[in-house]
Amino acid sequence: MPPRSSHRAPPTGPDFRTVEPSALILLKGAEDYVATRALDRVRAALKAQHPDLEFTRMDVSEATRGELTTLASPSLFGEPRLILAEDLAHMNEVFLEDALRFLEEPADSEVTLILRHSGGNRGKKLTDAISARGVVVDCSSVKSDNDKLDFVRKEFRTAQRTIHPEAARALVSAAGSTLSDLGSACQQLMRDVPEDITADHVDKYFGGRVEASAFKVADATFAGRGEAALRLYRHALSTGVSPVAVTAALAMKARQVAALVDHRGAQGELAQTLKMAPWQLKQAAETARRWTPREAAGAVEAVAQADAEVKGVSRTPEYAVEKAIARITTQVS
């Protein structure tokens, strides 16, 4: 039999924001938010062309012999069909055999098959076959702040909108716990703010999340803004942030300042050692300029004492952190 061909678009590797309907699409990677965005885009495009589109989700772990072929067969009234085969990592042997056979059959121009593989070696033969014949959308996990910043920039660039660099960084800090939260925040800003997005816009919409973060407490503390640091700390506690989380953020900031305060070499290697993105290292270096080695050592000592107290030495862990914040802010040059 001739190899299965694409009826709408040639095999490519599009971004999830730009993927178009094609006979065969593989969503490859563990990031559910990206895979969902890609699926929703393709489904919406097909629905716009064919209001009577039939959409079917297949449980590939329980697939029966010939089920895929039956679903892809022409219907009584000839409605276009969209089939989603989810979680290929858990497919049974029946589906694997049927899918490989399906790929070798002539394409029905009214069928779109989307397959989702979140990772692992299971199904590699099938994913390789799909990659050779269809469209592959990268759905890899987005974990690092650099990757999240890149995600934010592309969201705005694709929408032909502008977000200032400091605003993008603030948005990652405020709403970057999950890609779903970050994507929703990007969409909200683009929907509600007609002009270029600035850090002030991010603070207006998401400032509550920023203020409640342990890292914002640490930033204010090592910048010497004592009143602001204490206010942020108390607000963080009121929103559920634990004293342990705050001491962890203070400890990270203290290590960064101590490493940078007297550093004279190239910063690239230091960034790897401290596991920091270049923009994070730049921010930490600006903070470290206000510190002397002796002051940095004192800050490290204050954080270590607070950490011990909040983990059991003190009966008032909340107050122990307040003491550390006050001691550190008074040492800033």
Side-chain angles (χ1 to χ4, degrees), residues 86-160:
E86 297 183 279
D87 207 3
L88 295 186
H90 294 93
M91 65 182 167
N92 60 19
E93 287 297 322
V94 169
F95 179 82
L96 175 59
E97 294 171 7
D98 280 1
L100 289 171
R101 189 180 305 111
F102 179 81
L103 295 183
E104 298 299 332
E105 296 173 353
D108 182 336
S109 62
E110 298 302 318
V111 176
T112 296
L113 176 61
I114 298 180
L115 303 101
R116 172 81 199 282
H117 196 285
S118 58
N121 293 324
R122 174 66 174 160
K124 187 176 185 303
K125 183 178 181 181
L126 178 58
T127 58
D128 287 346
I130 299 168
S131 299
R133 292 169 170 80
V135 172
V136 180
V137 180
D138 182 12
C139 301
S140 300
S141 296
V142 177
K143 296 180 179 179
S144 73
D145 283 345
N146 267 349
D147 288 342
K148 291 174 182 177
L149 273 174
D150 187 54
F151 171 86
V152 169
R153 295 188 190 106
K154 287 181 178 178
E155 287 286 275
F156 281 84
R157 190 181 307 128
T158 300
Q160 298 183 328

Side-chain angles (χ1 to χ4, degrees), residues 175-294:
S177 58
T178 67
L179 205 62
S180 177
D181 287 345
L182 193 57
S184 297
C186 290
Q187 296 303 315
Q188 181 178 355
L189 286 170
M190 286 188 280
R191 182 177 61 250
D192 293 352
V193 181
E195 63 266 26
D196 293 353
I197 306 300
T198 67
D200 287 341
H201 291 126
V202 175
D203 185 61
K204 175 183 176 181
Y205 280 83
F206 306 103
R209 296 193 213 178
V210 176
E211 289 181 352
S213 80
F215 293 103
K216 278 294 176 179
V217 177
D219 287 344
T221 299
F222 281 85
R225 297 186 290 116
E227 290 185 7
L230 289 173
R231 184 180 69 252
L232 290 170
Y233 172 59
R234 290 162 186 163
H235 181 66
L237 291 180
S238 70
T239 57
V241 178
S242 70
V244 173
V246 177
T247 57
L250 289 171
M252 179 181 292
K253 195 74 173 181
R255 287 194 298 271
Q256 293 171 357
V257 170
L260 287 162
V261 68
D262 205 24
H263 182 72
R264 296 293 182 269
Q267 292 190 348
E269 184 176 340
L270 186 60
Q272 291 184 343
T273 301
L274 295 175
K275 298 180 180 180
M276 299 171 66
W279 66 267
Q280 290 175 312
L281 187 67
K282 182 179 179 181
Q283 286 185 338
E286 291 174 355
T287 300
R289 291 193 188 102
R290 303 182 62 184
W291 289 77
T292 67
R294 183 175 181 178

Side-chain angles (χ1 to χ4, degrees), residues 24-83:
L24 191 62
I25 300 173
L26 174 64
L27 308 179
K28 189 176 183 180
E31 186 56 69
D32 289 335
Y33 176 74
V34 172
T36 299
R37 284 272 299 269
L39 171 64
D40 288 348
R41 177 179 169 82
V42 172
R43 186 178 180 183
L46 289 171
K47 193 74 174 176
Q49 297 173 14
H50 310 286
D52 55 348
L53 177 74
E54 289 187 358
F55 176 51
T56 305
R57 292 179 182 267
M58 280 195 70
D59 181 354
V60 297
S61 67
E62 300 290 340
T64 58
R65 183 74 63 189
E67 182 180 356
L68 176 59
T69 302
T70 300
L71 290 173
S73 298
S75 65
L76 181 62
F77 299 103
E79 296 94 343
R81 278 139 292 146
L82 170 60
I83 303 168

